[in-house]
């Protein structure tokens, strides 16, 4: 039935029961939750026959399609707001065919994303409520709309190029699918693509999912400002920080610190940012042309230059250019570069990190990096790695570098 030995299946099943029986809150920590989930997946793989599992996997894109169409029709919003709503009501509100609505929701009820309350009658589950949230909507719309065509073309694209690893940001799968030679982020910011770019920035606000913030497990204050920050130089510059969600989280964690803080990104992104703390200065910024902000004399450099999920967007050549710009603002013995990103293990890599790596390949001709690859990149840029830190569970790691 499975390549997994029977005793290992039983051991993992027992492990799950033991983890779930620990008091009123079974998930004592993120690490325990991930351990239980990994054990559960091993049991599922052992019980599921490969011929059945592969067929189910082959048909899984239809679930993705059903979710995206229902999001377009605001079906999740309608179901979330009603204890029970009929397919006929949903069809009437969305000006859609009732039979189509039933077919789409048949898949989503089978997957557990929507509750089936009767024949053609639907109600919310916790999945429905989450999918209806602003961050989830941005994620599913951006990922579906930007990746499905490049993924569909990837097989022929790779074959035509002799199965070479893509590294050219102007000539990748995304460019072939959209018939452009613009790098992906450049293409996203042209006016006609405003909706997908807005969805992208909404997704970036929540791309950590439920995984813990680095501020909850990394000794940030002890490492970077144990006595508090009293300089006129910025305490933290969020380089290409989007709408400032990570910066606001930092300020919420350390409200006693006066800053100042700097949020840097393209002007349209900054314009879409919500009301931010008065401690934050917004600065228009081009990742490849502008060095991050410098402080005032006598420091002339920020304490922390923070980059979350930035380096994984680019191949090594572009990363070297970014790092040269960051270095131009750093002060030796004072400034830190803090990178919040996946640090892939050489063996035993998790599924999400592996999938994220391929998504980077498809959308950006870039990649997630292993510890060895991170060391090679940063040291080649003339940076010294102070440390690489792994979080609990399967969240993104922290890399601290100095001049």
């Amino acid at each position: 039935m499975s390549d997994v030995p029977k005793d290992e299946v039983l051991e993992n099943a027992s492990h799950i029961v033991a983890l779930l029986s620990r008091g009123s809150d079974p998930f004592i920590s993120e690490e325990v939750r991930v351990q239980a989930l990994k054990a559960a997946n091993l049991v599922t793989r052992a019980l599921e026959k490969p011929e059945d599992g592969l067929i189910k996997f082959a048909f899984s894109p239809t679930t993705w399609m059903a979710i995206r169409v229902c999001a377009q029709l605001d079906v999740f919003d309608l179901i979330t707001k009603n204890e029970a709503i009929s397919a006929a009501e949903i069809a009437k509100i969305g000006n859609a065919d009732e039979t189509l609505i039933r077919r789409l929701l048949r898949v989503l009820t089978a997957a557990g994303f929507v509750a089936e309350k009767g024949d053609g009658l639907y109600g919310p589950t916790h999945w429905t409520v989450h999918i209806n949230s602003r961050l989830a909507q941005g994620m599913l719309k951006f990922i579906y709309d930007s990746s499905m065509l490049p993924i569909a073309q990837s097989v022929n694209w790779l074959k035509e190029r002799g199965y070479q690893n893509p590294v050219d940001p102007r000539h990748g799968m995304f460019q072939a699918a959209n018939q452009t030679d613009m790098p992906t982020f450049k293409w996203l910011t042209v006016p006609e693509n405003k909706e997908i770019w807005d969805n992208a920035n909404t997704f970036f606000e929540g791309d950590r999912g439920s995984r813990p913030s680095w501020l909850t497990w990394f000794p940030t204050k002890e490492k970077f400002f144990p006595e508090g920050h009293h300089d006129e130089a910025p305490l933290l510059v969020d380089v290409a920080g989007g709408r400032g969600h990570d910066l606001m989280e930092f300020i919420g964690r350390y409200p006693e610190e006066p800053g100042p803080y700097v949020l840097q990104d393209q002007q349209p992104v900054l314009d879409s940012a919500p009301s931010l703390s008065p401690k934050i200065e917004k600065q228009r910024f081009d990742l490849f042309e502008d060095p991050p902000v410098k402080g005032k004399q006598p420091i002339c450099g920020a304490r922390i230059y923070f980059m979350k999920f930035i380096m994984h967007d680019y191949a090594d050549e572009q990363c070297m250019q970014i790092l040269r710009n960051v270095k131009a603002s750093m002060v030796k013995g004072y400034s830190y570069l803090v990178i919040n990103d996946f640090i892939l293990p050489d063996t035993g890599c998790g599924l999400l990190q592996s999938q994220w790596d391929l998504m980077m390949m498809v959308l950006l001709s870039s990649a997630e990096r292993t510890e060895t690859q991170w060391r090679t990149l940063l040291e080649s840029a003339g940076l010294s790695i102070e440390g690489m830190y792994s979080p609990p569970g399967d969240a993104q790691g922290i890399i601290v570098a100095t001049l």
Side-chain angles (χ1 to χ4, degrees):
M1 178 171 62
S2 168
D3 293 332
V4 182
K6 182 179 178 180
D7 58 347
E8 187 174 338
V9 175
L10 295 175
E11 180 182 348
N12 278 289
S14 299
H15 185 48
I16 296 168
V17 173
L19 290 169
L20 298 181
S21 63
R22 293 185 182 182
S24 58
D25 183 7
F27 303 131
I28 295 174
S29 67
E30 177 69 7
E31 188 171 6
V32 169
R33 184 189 72 83
V34 172
Q35 287 176 357
L37 189 59
K38 183 177 180 180
N41 287 333
L42 286 172
V43 173
T44 299
R45 280 166 44 195
L47 295 175
E48 189 168 51
K49 295 182 178 180
E51 52 266 46
D52 298 331
L54 192 57
I55 290 175
K56 183 176 70 176
F57 182 76
F59 282 80
S60 63
T62 59
T63 306
W64 195 204
M65 177 198 72
I67 291 174
R68 182 64 183 93
V69 175
C70 285
Q72 187 76 15
L73 291 171
D74 293 324
V75 172
F76 297 106
D77 187 56
L78 292 171
I79 294 176
T80 297
K81 292 177 178 177
N82 293 274
E83 190 64 30
I85 186 171
S86 69
E89 291 176 273
I90 294 171
K92 183 178 180 180
I93 294 170
N95 194 28
D97 182 78
E98 180 184 346
T99 300
L100 173 65
I101 297 299
R102 283 174 172 263
R103 295 178 72 183
L104 294 171
L105 289 178
R106 186 182 296 146
V107 173
L108 300 187
T109 56
F113 296 144
V114 173
E116 195 169 37
K117 299 287 188 176
D119 183 11
L121 198 62
Y122 307 96
T125 68
H126 67 288
W127 276 93
T128 319
V129 174
H130 174 68
I131 292 173
N132 191 51
S133 69
R134 182 180 69 89
L135 297 183
Q137 288 279 308
M139 181 275 293
L140 66 91
K141 290 176 181 177
F142 169 63
I143 296 296
Y144 187 96
D145 295 350
S146 64
S147 71
M148 292 302 286
L149 280 176
I151 288 173
Q153 295 189 14
S154 63
V155 175
N156 286 335
W157 190 94
L158 288 167
K159 181 180 179 181
E160 290 169 1
R161 288 156 183 80
Y163 300 102
Q164 297 300 300
N165 186 50
V167 294
D168 187 343
R170 291 182 175 275
H171 300 95
M173 301 172 200
F174 183 90
Q175 284 67 35
N178 291 286
Q179 299 180 345
T180 181
D181 61 358
M182 287 189 287
T184 302
F185 284 119
K186 186 73 172 177
W187 182 90
L188 287 169
T189 54
V190 300
E192 54 265 36
N193 297 321
K194 183 180 184 303
E195 182 178 355
I196 191 170
W197 182 228
D198 285 343
N199 286 330
N201 281 286
T202 301
F203 165 49
F204 298 155
E205 291 182 57
D207 56 13
R208 191 176 68 236
S210 67
R211 290 162 180 80
S213 163
W214 71 290
L215 299 173
T216 65
W217 59 268
F218 186 84
T220 311
K221 186 177 179 68
E222 296 80 357
K223 176 73 70 173
F224 303 127
F225 48 102
E227 306 300 327
H229 184 73
H230 309 293
D231 300 318
E232 291 186 3
L235 173 55
L236 188 147
V237 177
D238 197 349
V239 182
R243 292 172 177 162
H245 43 283
D246 291 301
L247 194 46
M248 287 295 288
E249 187 174 50
F250 187 97
I251 293 172
R253 186 78 173 180
Y254 303 105
E256 72 282 0
E257 297 299 329
Y261 301 93
V262 178
L263 172 65
Q264 295 183 322
D265 214 307
Q266 299 175 68
Q267 193 61 51
V269 177
L270 296 176
D271 291 342
S272 71
S275 299
L276 299 174
S277 166
K279 298 178 181 179
I280 298 175
E281 177 186 352
K282 294 181 183 179
Q283 288 188 357
R284 181 178 180 176
F285 175 75
D286 187 294
L287 197 60
F288 293 98
E289 295 181 4
D290 304 319
V293 66
K294 291 186 177 183
K296 299 177 182 180
Q297 293 286 352
I299 299 300
C300 287
R303 185 65 165 172
I304 303 169
Y305 293 94
F306 179 72
M307 293 196 294
K308 177 194 164 196
F309 269 174
I310 302 301
M311 305 299 282
H312 77 164
D313 289 338
Y314 301 99
D316 286 356
E317 182 179 350
Q318 290 77 44
C319 284
M320 290 292 288
Q321 185 177 349
I322 294 169
L323 292 171
R324 282 194 293 268
N325 286 339
V326 174
K327 283 178 58 183
S329 295
M330 294 175 68
V331 174
K332 190 170 184 179
Y334 179 80
S335 300
Y336 293 91
L337 170 61
V338 178
I339 297 172
N340 188 195
D341 218 318
F342 286 126
I343 306 172
L344 303 185
D346 290 320
T347 61
C349 187
L351 180 59
L352 174 64
Q353 295 92 323
S354 303
Q355 292 172 325
W356 211 299
D357 175 52
L358 292 188
M359 188 64 75
M360 294 298 98
M361 179 180 74
V362 168
L363 294 180
L364 297 158
S365 297
S366 62
E368 303 296 344
R369 291 176 172 87
T370 64
E371 179 177 338
T372 300
Q373 290 171 323
W374 277 116
R375 290 190 181 279
T376 299
L377 175 66
L378 294 172
E379 289 170 0
S380 296
L383 289 161
S384 175
I385 298 175
E386 186 274 339
M388 293 189 181
Y389 304 88
S390 298
D394 59 352
Q396 297 93 31
I398 286 291
I399 304 168
V400 178
T402 58
L403 291 180

